[in-house]
Amino acid sequence: MYGGGNIFEATVFDDLQAEDPVKLAEFEARIARGEKIEPDDWMPNLYRVQLIRMIEQHAHSEIIGALPEGSWITRAPGFRRKLALMAKVQDEVGHAQLLYSAAETLGKSREQMLTDLINGKSKYSNVFNYPTYTWADACTISWLIDAGAIVNQVANSKGSYGPYCRALERICTEEAFHLKYGHDSMVYLATGTEVQRKMAQEAINRWWGPIMSFFGPPDNVSVHTETLMRWKVKIASNDECRQQFLDMYVPKIWELGLTIPDDKLRKDEATGKWVYTEPDWEEFTRVINGDGPCNAERLAVRRRAEERGAWVRQALLNPKARYVRPLA
Amino acid sequence: MNLQSLDPRVNRLNIPASTMTPMAPKSVLDQFATYEAFIQKKEGAPFTFAGAVHAPNPDVAFLFAKEQYSRRSSCTGIWIVQTAHVKLTPYASDEASIYDSFDIDKPEGVTRPLEPYEVFHQQKRGKAHTHVGRVGATSYEEAYELAKNKFSHLTPVVNVWIIKSKNILQSAEEDKDMWVTTAEKKYREAGAYRVMERIKRFKKEQQRRRSKI
């Protein structure tokens, strides 16, 4: 699981005045009662648009995230690690399939989503625009990026949209293995030789910035955010997720004798909150808009795969088939 | 100039480094029609909705569904149906029964052959539909009526799916051995990774070194 902090943008559908007030009240009452929304229910346009954006970004993050990890399968140390990493990458691509289907129930076809990804119109988790220099980078992704994603996704699984909840339930059961596998790989490096320890430390140093910005910039509290929280589209704020991640994983990094490249990082005992150096949000914005070390490579590789498979899809196409969005 | 990557396999793709022109939009059927998959987790358990797959035909849909939905957990059977072949009711509120609020008129003056239909219930919003049984009817509408008589005691029911049995591709009894997979796949279970001992040993060693200094 790779889904990162979600960035909700204001849309032209933002205007709730245009919605039928009676239906809107029924919809909100249903969510307030703790019931899930299913695809055929009436829903405000803003709900539909933001959910498509969120689930689609999550799906893209799964397939793009599989690219840096997948490139380490042949170079993973030992047969068992190769098998495990292969199983993990296969899981991640499977997660993308589940998520694309969930997004499709809202009315956007999978083909449109894949085209938007390749053309840079849809986003994916920003961390995958950074390179993996050594095996330790792959271990850091498997452990800490997955850990961050789990924090986010556990929050999202309490959301209000039925198909997304069903997909996340399936995804979360598979994630338990990813996290343990990632931790195990990192523990082996950190408790190994001096060279291995150095490799682990350097990877943590490289990835700390991207990990901290993974959860997204602090949410600016707007009417828009409040609406999405009330509709249980957004469950926890980006800062809440970041705090939870620090709480769970900083001690686990420290116990391995590794350091974190942030002099300010400490837990304020009085507030119970972590104090840290604010991530470089300018870099975050620059990279997410296309100017990162690996953006071009990730999309080019995805596009090449898409183009190379075109003849197979063409050959198998059933001329009588018609497209129907998945049911649930 | 080609795109330069740390991954030698990417370099071998010889992708030009220049910015690419946007990819043209594809037809919605570029990756085929959708099929819904149902999984039986163990012998005798009801078939339960797992999710959708995109495929050019039911056989390929079956293979995709097997890969996608039975790879990581036990499975003793799969049913596949094209999405267009599922008829469904509106969704009721939790705790309510859709059978109480939804009726459809049976088509009149049409005589069609008696056929088996499979009935699926969703018990709660957010949960998966499960198979509750079969009725013999001459139309979807009649099948719904019969399902109401036969299964409405199974409450709550927030949504009903009705599918003609002949439209479901079912895994066969004689192909059972396809569900027997290699036993040794512990490496993809969380329980196979136990690092506490290693961490404890490491900490002890660190302490020992420190006390020496």
Side-chain angles (χ1 to χ4, degrees):
Chain A
M1 170 154 47
Y2 293 130
N6 293 290
I7 303 161
F8 295 96
E9 293 160 34
T11 67
V12 289
F13 299 107
D14 208 344
D15 195 359
L16 288 181
Q17 302 302 318
E19 303 288 0
D20 180 331
V22 178
K23 285 180 175 163
L24 183 61
E26 277 174 15
F27 168 84
E28 293 200 333
R30 187 179 299 289
I31 292 174
R33 286 199 299 271
E35 288 185 28
K36 305 291 183 194
I37 301 300
E38 292 288 354
D40 288 353
D41 289 328
W42 180 92
M43 59 185 84
N45 237 325
L46 176 63
Y47 181 82
R48 186 183 298 275
V49 167
Q50 296 290 8
L51 267 174
I52 291 176
R53 186 198 303 278
M54 179 165 131
I55 303 172
E56 183 183 348
Q57 275 179 15
H58 187 179
H60 293 333
S61 304
E62 301 279 0
I63 46 170
I64 295 296
L67 297 177
E69 275 199 305
S71 84
W72 284 95
I73 293 172
T74 53
R75 296 177 280 174
F79 190 56
R80 190 160 168 275
R81 292 253 187 265
K82 282 183 171 60
L83 282 173
L85 184 55
M86 204 150 49
K88 179 179 189 294
V89 169
Q90 191 180 18
D91 282 353
E92 308 295 11
V93 177
H95 295 171
Q97 305 266 30
L98 294 171
L99 293 161
Y100 283 129
S101 290
E104 272 185 285
T105 63
L106 290 158
K108 184 169 182 179
S109 76
R110 193 169 71 166
E111 282 63 29
Q112 187 60 52
M113 289 186 260
L114 290 170
T115 306
D116 285 353
L117 166 67
I118 288 170
N119 289 342
K121 214 180 144 197
S122 307
K123 304 296 179 205
Y124 52 87
S125 195
N126 208 28
V127 282
F128 301 120
N129 291 320
Y130 290 87
T132 51
Y133 293 96
T134 69
W135 167 244
D137 291 303
C139 297
T140 308
I141 294 181
S142 297
W143 183 31
L144 294 175
I145 301 297
D146 270 53
I150 290 171
V151 168
N152 264 318
Q153 263 40 106
V154 167
N156 283 350
S157 69
K158 299 180 185 96
S160 62
Y161 190 55
Y164 190 34
C165 294
R166 280 189 288 272
L168 285 173
E169 196 182 320
R170 206 167 270 280
I171 290 170
C172 286
T173 53
E174 296 180 4
E175 281 304 321
F177 143 56
H178 300 181
L179 187 62
K180 292 279 185 182
Y181 155 81
H183 188 215
D184 185 273
S185 326
M186 199 49 132
V187 168
Y188 265 70
L189 290 181
T191 61
T193 64
E194 276 312 306
V195 179
Q196 284 174 311
R197 284 186 58 76
K198 185 162 173 273
M199 203 173 161
Q201 183 61 59
E202 284 170 356
I204 298 279
N205 294 350
R206 277 194 286 273
W207 285 86
W208 190 252
I211 287 170
M212 286 297 278
S213 59
F214 174 80
F215 298 93
D219 310 82
N220 51 341
V221 180
S222 62
V223 179
H224 190 73
T225 314
E226 277 171 25
T227 307
L228 293 176
M229 288 237 175
R230 187 170 72 246
W231 289 349
K232 294 183 191 165
V233 171
K234 192 167 180 59
I235 306 294
S237 76
N238 294 350
D239 278 336
E240 282 166 356
C241 288
R242 196 165 12 246
Q243 285 288 336
Q244 201 190 331
F245 170 81
L246 292 170
D247 237 1
M248 290 168 79
Y249 293 96
V250 170
K252 286 190 193 297
I253 297 170
W254 281 345
E255 78 174 348
L256 297 175
L258 298 170
T259 58
I260 292 168
D262 180 356
D263 298 339
K264 280 193 195 161
L265 185 73
R266 65 182 175 87
K267 190 167 184 173
D268 185 330
E269 291 304 332
T271 60
K273 298 258 184 211
W274 288 86
V275 180
Y276 51 81
T277 307
E278 198 59 37
D280 185 344
W281 296 117
E282 272 173 37
E283 175 182 318
F284 177 81
T285 312
R286 186 164 50 73
V287 174
I288 211 164
N289 285 324
D291 189 18
C294 294
N295 299 55
E297 176 184 333
R298 301 286 182 249
L299 294 185
V301 169
R302 182 80 273 285
R303 180 171 181 164
R304 185 54 67 94
E306 187 78 11
E307 287 169 350
R308 282 186 167 182
W311 72 272
V312 180
R313 300 193 300 273
Q314 198 61 42
L316 288 171
L317 194 63
N318 174 359
K320 282 192 205 139
R322 62 193 174 92
Y323 177 77
V324 180
R325 63 162 177 78
L327 278 186
Chain B
M1 243 292 268
N2 281 342
L3 195 134
Q4 291 301 309
S5 169
L6 290 170
D7 183 352
R9 296 174 316 156
V10 172
N11 290 330
R12 286 198 293 272
L13 290 173
N14 294 321
I15 300 172
S18 54
T19 322
M20 286 186 280
T21 51
M23 199 175 70
K26 298 176 289 178
S27 97
V28 286
L29 275 174
D30 185 72
Q31 295 192 21
F32 320 124
T34 55
Y35 290 80
E36 309 292 339
F38 299 85
I39 297 283
Q40 185 186 46
K41 282 218 153 182
K42 55 175 194 265
E43 262 341 305
F47 280 78
T48 301
F49 175 62
V53 288
H54 290 239
N57 61 48
D59 290 336
V60 178
F62 187 94
L63 292 175
F64 286 171
K66 182 170 182 285
E67 217 29 56
Q68 175 79 324
Y69 299 112
S70 82
R71 186 179 80 253
R72 292 297 305 274
S73 51
S74 68
C75 178
T76 52
I78 291 183
W79 287 358
I80 293 293
V81 61
Q82 205 175 331
T83 304
H85 286 147
V86 183
K87 299 280 181 245
L88 67 158
T89 67
Y91 286 84
S93 295
D94 279 350
E95 312 297 326
S97 174
I98 189 65
Y99 286 125
D100 294 337
S101 57
F102 181 70
D103 276 306
I104 19 176
D105 293 331
K106 274 188 275 182
E108 278 179 37
V110 194
T111 46
R112 296 202 194 96
L114 191 72
E115 284 182 279
Y117 289 75
E118 307 296 337
V119 182
F120 297 82
H121 282 179
Q122 186 186 30
Q123 285 197 323
K124 190 173 193 287
R125 288 164 165 268
K127 299 287 171 214
H129 289 68
T130 54
H131 183 239
V132 291
R134 166 185 279 207
V135 293
T138 58
S139 65
Y140 286 102
E141 292 80 0
E142 191 189 335
Y144 176 74
E145 273 303 310
L146 293 166
K148 183 186 256 189
N149 294 334
K150 202 169 168 185
F151 305 119
S152 63
H153 63 283
L154 301 169
T155 49
V157 188
V158 299
N159 189 249
V160 179
W161 287 358
I162 294 186
I163 308 167
K164 270 187 193 174
S165 310
K166 70 165 188 199
N167 288 332
I168 300 178
L169 174 67
Q170 306 188 352
S171 54
E173 196 63 24
E174 62 265 29
D175 293 335
K176 266 222 174 97
D177 53 348
M178 82 162 86
W179 308 116
V180 183
T181 53
T182 322
E184 219 297 283
K185 285 195 179 175
K186 286 260 168 34
Y187 58 85
R188 52 177 202 180
E189 306 296 335
Y193 298 91
R194 297 176 194 276
V195 287
M196 287 324 294
E197 280 307 311
R198 186 172 273 266
I199 295 173
K200 272 187 210 150
R201 264 206 315 276
F202 171 73
K203 281 182 178 171
K204 226 180 240 171
E205 180 66 15
Q206 296 284 97
Q207 255 167 8
R208 199 180 56 82
R209 278 192 203 175
R210 241 174 276 145
S211 58
K212 259 192 188 172
I213 301 162

